[in-house]
Amino acid sequence: MTAELVRGQNHPLPQTRLEIRVSAGKPIIAGATLGDEQGKVSGPERVAHPGAPNLPGLEVSQQAAADHRLAVDLGALPDGVHRVSVLLSLPTGVGGPMRFGAVAAPFVAVTGLDGSEVASYTITDLDAESAVVALELYRRQDAWKVRAIGQGYAGGLADMLADQGLPQARELAASINDAVTRGLARTVAAPPPRPADEGRLRTASAGGDRVPGAASGGAPGAPGAADPQPAVPPAAGAAPQLPVPGGPVNYEHPGRQPVAPPTPAPVAPQPRPGEPAQPIAGDATGWTMEERLYNQVWGMFEDLARTTAAYRSAVDFADSRMEQELDRALSDPRNRLGQAGDRARAAARDKHAELVDRARAVLDRDLAQLVAEAEVVEPALPPAFARWDNPVWQGYQVPMEIPMALRLGDLHLPERTDLHIPMLVRLPLERGLWVDSGRSGSASAMMVDSDQLRRLAMDTAVAHASRLLAVYPVGEFTVHVIDPAGSAAASLAPLLRSGALREPPAPGAGGVSATIAQLTQRVDLVQMASRAGVTDSLPPDLDTAEQLLIVNDFPHGFDDRAVTRLRYIADEGPSVGVHLMMVADREDAQEYGPVLDPLWRALLRITPVPDDHLADPWVGHVWTYEPSLAPAGSQVLQQVLSQVAAARQAYGR
C-alpha cells in the first residue's frame, strides 16, 4: 500500500532494489548523490548525473526529460554510503522554464521492481527555485527508509550541490548542464509549423471547393480560419474524389462524414490585476479527476495549516515585541509614572495592534480564497469524498472500481470554523478506526448524556460502514458486527433492512467467540497463502472480499482469549484485508490496564461529536474533527444501501 508522504515524513523501505519515478510535465534533470551519515558528499565521483549516469548501485537518466526512472540497489552501494539524495534541476540555456513555480508540481514515487508503489511525494510550494532535493533514502540501524525533503534552491544546481558539502560544486554543475545541452543538441528537432494554406486539402470536386483540413492546431475535417464554410460530403454512390496532381494527399475516407472539432475544456476567467484567481475544481496534479480532487483537498489542508501557522506566529511575535518595548520603556523608574510612561505604553499597544491587524488581514485574505475554493470543490467531489448531503448521492450508482480514498469527516480550525476541509484516508484502510463513545471533555460531548453519546457513536460507525459498502464494487466488501448485549439494534437497522448486513449479530459471549474465530482464521489462511505464493489454493468458500468488523460495547462479552485475538486482528488484519472498527469507551476497559494500550494506539480515534483531538505534528495545530453523518430525517443512507443490496442480488452475491 502506497504511503503518500508530506515534507519531512519518512516511511520504511521493504526491499533494497527499487525504482524511483519522477514526473514533472517539462524536461528536467534528474540525478542523485551518495552521502555519508551527515549527508555530506565527498566528491564528484559520488554524484550520478547525465554526464556520469552509472555508479555502484545507482543509475540515472542520461538526458533531461519530463519523466525519469532511476534504478537503485541499496545493497550494492559503496561502503560508507548512508544517504541517497534524489536531485531535480531545471536545465539552463535551452529555452525552457527557469523556475519550478512555472511548471507542474514534480511527483516522485518509490516503487518496487514490479511497479508497486511503496511511497510517493508531490513537491509543492516551489516558486523561484530552479533545483530541489526531492527525497532521500537513508540508513538507520541497518534498515533503509525514505524521507520526503522538498528543499528548493533559488541558486540552482550549484547551490544545491554546495549545500551537500561538495567541493567545486559550481564546476560540476556547469559540466552537468553542458552534458544536457549537448544531448539536447543531438536530438531531432520538431518540424517547423506549416503555413495555413499548406494544411488545407484540395479535391477535384465540380465546384472546386476546398475541403478544410487540419491547419496549425486544427482537427482533421474542421473548418479552417480562412474557409468558414463546412465541407460537403459526397453524395451516396458518387465516385471518390481524387486529389489534384501535385497537391497533398487526402487520407480521409471518401464516405466518412466530417467530424466536428472537440469542444474545448472550460477555462477559468482570467483575474484582473491584483485580484485572486478564480478557483476551479480539480485544479491539481493527477492522472484522473479523482486523483486531482484528492490532491486539491490535501493542498487546501496544507494551505489552511500554513496560513494559520503564519498568523499565529505573527501574533506571538507582536506579543513578544510589545512586552520587550514595555520592559525597555519602563525599566527607568522615572518613566513608570506620568505622561512619559503612558505614552510608552500607548505606543507599544498601538504597534502591537498594528502588527496583529496586518497579520489578520493577510489571514482573512487567504481564508476567503480557501472558502471560495471549498465552495467550488465540495459539489464536485465523488461519492467517496462527498458529504451525505451532497447531491452526488442522488445519482449514486454502485462503482466498478475501488476509489483511492474515503471521507471520514471534516476538519477545521478556530480561526474560521465555517471552513471545513474533508478528512480523507486512503483505501484500502491501513489502520483500524476507534469511535470513542466516552466523554472526551469537549463542549459538545459534555452537552450529551452517556446513553445518547453511545447511540451517536454507533450511528457514526454505521455511517462509515455504509460509505465503505457504497464505494466498493459489488461483493468486494463485507461487514461483520459484534454486539453481545444487542444495544446497537436501532443503529444497525439500515444495514439489516437493506440486506447489507445479512443477519443480526449473534448475542452473548458465544457470538463474540464465533465471529472472532472466523476472522482470525481468515487472517491466518490469507497470510500463509500470501507468504507461500499460493493464493490460488485458498479454500473456495473463503470470502476474499475486504472485511470490516464492528465491535460495540467492548469489552462486554470478551474473555482473555477473545481480547488476544482482537489485538491480533488489529495488528495483522489490515495487511490481508480485515479491518477493525471499535465503538467503545476506553474507561470501560480499565480492568485490562496497559495490556490494551497497543490496541488503542493502533487505531485512528474519531468521535461521534465535534472534538479537537487531532494533532498536526508539523505545525503544532490541534484540528477539530466533525463526523460525517447523514442529515437528520434524510433517507439517503437507506437509499444507497438499498441500491448496494439490489446490486448484490443482481450479481448473485
Side-chain angles (χ1 to χ4, degrees):
M1 288 172 276
T2 305
E4 288 195 353
L5 305 180
V6 297
R7 182 176 286 116
Q9 187 178 1
N10 59 46
H11 187 74
L13 294 174
Q15 57 202 66
T16 58
R17 300 186 66 189
L18 303 163
E19 189 174 72
I20 300 175
R21 302 183 181 184
V22 181
S23 177
K26 294 287 185 180
I28 62 172
I29 302 171
T33 59
L34 305 180
D36 56 17
E37 293 187 22
Q38 286 73 39
K40 299 300 181 181
V41 181
S42 59
E45 70 280 359
R46 291 294 177 96
V47 182
H49 55 83
N54 296 305
L55 293 179
L58 182 62
E59 182 178 357
V60 303
S61 305
Q62 302 183 36
Q63 188 51 270
D67 298 290
H68 292 270
R69 292 192 177 188
L70 287 65
V72 181
D73 186 352
L74 299 174
L77 294 175
D79 294 338
V81 173
H82 289 262
R83 296 190 188 184
V84 180
S85 299
V86 178
L87 316 179
L88 307 180
S89 176
L90 293 172
T92 60
V94 296
M98 301 301 295
R99 59 187 184 90
F100 273 107
V103 302
F107 175 79
V108 187
V110 180
T111 72
L113 296 183
D114 58 353
S116 59
E117 284 193 9
V118 177
S120 64
Y121 174 41
T122 300
I123 310 173
T124 58
D125 300 330
L126 296 178
D127 188 11
E129 298 88 345
S130 58
V132 61
V133 180
L135 49 79
E136 68 176 8
L137 314 180
Y138 66 99
R139 177 160 38 195
R140 182 67 53 82
Q141 297 179 351
D142 296 330
W144 285 91
K145 295 184 178 182
V146 57
R147 177 187 289 120
I149 302 297
Q151 175 63 53
Y153 295 83
L157 185 59
D159 283 6
M160 180 167 60
L161 294 174
D163 193 41
Q164 297 196 14
L166 189 70
Q168 300 178 341
R170 297 200 175 278
E171 291 79 357
L172 179 58
S175 67
I176 294 174
N177 281 310
D178 289 343
V180 172
T181 303
R182 290 194 302 269
L184 290 175
R186 292 192 298 267
T187 60
V188 179
R194 299 170 59 188
D197 290 342
E198 292 186 14
R200 294 193 172 90
L201 306 179
R202 299 177 181 271
T203 60
S205 59
D209 293 335
R210 292 181 297 178
V211 179
S216 302
D227 200 5
Q229 67 274 17
V232 180
Q241 299 173 340
L242 301 177
V244 175
V249 179
N250 184 357
Y251 291 99
E252 292 184 348
H253 190 281
R256 182 172 296 163
Q257 298 289 338
V259 180
T263 304
V267 179
Q270 295 298 321
R272 297 177 181 177
E275 292 184 358
Q278 296 297 322
I280 305 174
D283 187 17
T285 58
W287 293 103
T288 64
M289 177 58 77
E290 180 188 50
E291 185 178 359
R292 292 197 294 271
L293 287 169
Y294 174 84
N295 290 333
Q296 187 171 13
V297 169
W298 182 251
M300 292 167 60
F301 173 84
E302 289 184 333
D303 290 344
L304 179 56
R306 189 183 308 108
T307 189
T308 304
Y311 168 72
R312 294 179 180 179
S313 177
V315 172
D316 291 342
F317 170 76
D319 293 342
S320 175
R321 177 170 177 167
M322 182 178 67
E323 291 178 2
Q324 293 176 6
E325 291 179 349
L326 289 175
D327 289 342
R328 284 196 301 267
L330 303 179
S331 60
D332 188 349
R334 294 172 297 179
N335 294 333
R336 292 176 185 172
L337 301 175
Q339 295 182 353
D342 294 340
R343 285 195 299 268
R345 282 187 287 268
R349 294 191 183 99
D350 291 344
K351 186 61 177 179
H352 175 271
E354 178 187 356
L355 292 175
V356 172
D357 290 344
R358 285 164 52 188
R360 185 70 204 193
V362 174
L363 175 67
D364 290 340
R365 179 201 64 194
D366 294 343
L367 292 179
Q369 182 69 10
L370 285 171
V371 169
E373 187 173 8
E375 291 174 349
V376 173
V377 170
E378 189 68 47
L381 295 177
F385 300 177
R387 291 196 303 253
W388 284 111
D389 58 355
N390 192 309
V392 71
W393 289 107
Q394 304 304 320
Y396 166 77
Q397 294 182 348
V398 179
M400 301 299 293
E401 295 181 353
I402 301 174
M404 65 184 300
L406 183 85
R407 186 173 191 156
L408 288 182
D410 293 343
L411 300 173
H412 67 79
L413 292 172
E415 280 76 8
R416 187 70 185 261
T417 57
D418 62 332
L419 175 55
H420 289 194
I421 306 297
M423 179 181 173
L424 304 179
V425 295
R426 294 299 299 264
L427 290 180
L429 295 173
E430 297 182 359
R431 59 190 298 198
L433 302 176
W434 167 28
V435 185
D436 191 353
S437 60
R439 291 191 177 277
S440 58
S442 68
S444 300
M446 299 305 293
M447 296 174 61
V448 182
D449 61 54
S450 299
D451 293 338
Q452 187 178 1
L453 197 60
R454 293 177 185 273
R455 168 67 185 273
L456 286 174
M458 194 61 196
D459 289 345
T460 303
V462 170
H464 292 318
S466 301
R467 185 183 291 268
L468 285 164
L469 286 166
V471 302
Y472 269 79
V474 176
E476 294 193 18
F477 199 86
T478 304
V479 175
H480 307 268
V481 179
I482 289 179
D483 184 28
S487 59
S491 299
L492 294 173
L495 295 174
L496 291 169
R497 281 198 302 265
S498 64
L501 186 63
R502 292 185 173 89
E503 57 186 14
V512 172
S513 300
T515 305
I516 289 287
Q518 175 189 351
L519 292 177
T520 304
Q521 182 185 30
R522 184 193 183 281
V523 172
D524 290 337
L525 288 174
V526 177
Q527 270 193 344
M528 289 187 294
S530 299
R531 291 169 180 170
V534 290
T535 53
D536 295 339
S537 301
L538 288 170
D541 59 341
L542 182 72
D543 186 3
T544 57
E546 297 278 317
Q547 311 285 315
L548 175 67
L549 172 61
I550 303 176
V551 178
N552 185 44
D553 275 352
F554 178 82
H556 180 71
F558 280 77
D559 54 18
D560 292 344
R561 182 181 179 85
V563 170
T564 302
R565 287 182 168 181
L566 187 69
R567 288 185 53 186
Y568 175 71
I569 291 174
D571 293 337
E572 303 294 335
S575 63
V576 291
V578 179
H579 311 285
L580 178 63
M581 183 184 297
M582 298 279 291
V583 183
D585 181 1
R586 190 169 181 174
E587 298 296 327
D588 294 341
Q590 281 185 342
E591 60 186 77
Y592 288 95
V595 174
L596 290 180
D597 286 348
L599 174 64
W600 304 119
R601 287 196 297 266
L603 304 176
L604 174 62
R605 176 175 174 256
I606 56 179
T607 54
V609 293
D611 186 77
D612 52 352
H613 68 278
L614 291 177
D616 186 344
W618 307 112
V619 291
H621 296 331
V622 177
W623 294 80
T624 297
Y625 166 82
E626 292 190 18
S628 179
L629 299 174
S634 173
Q635 296 297 317
V636 61
L637 210 65
Q638 190 66 51
Q639 294 170 2
V640 169
L641 289 174
S642 298
Q643 287 186 256
V644 172
R648 284 185 172 183
Q649 292 179 357
Y651 284 88
R653 301 294 181 88

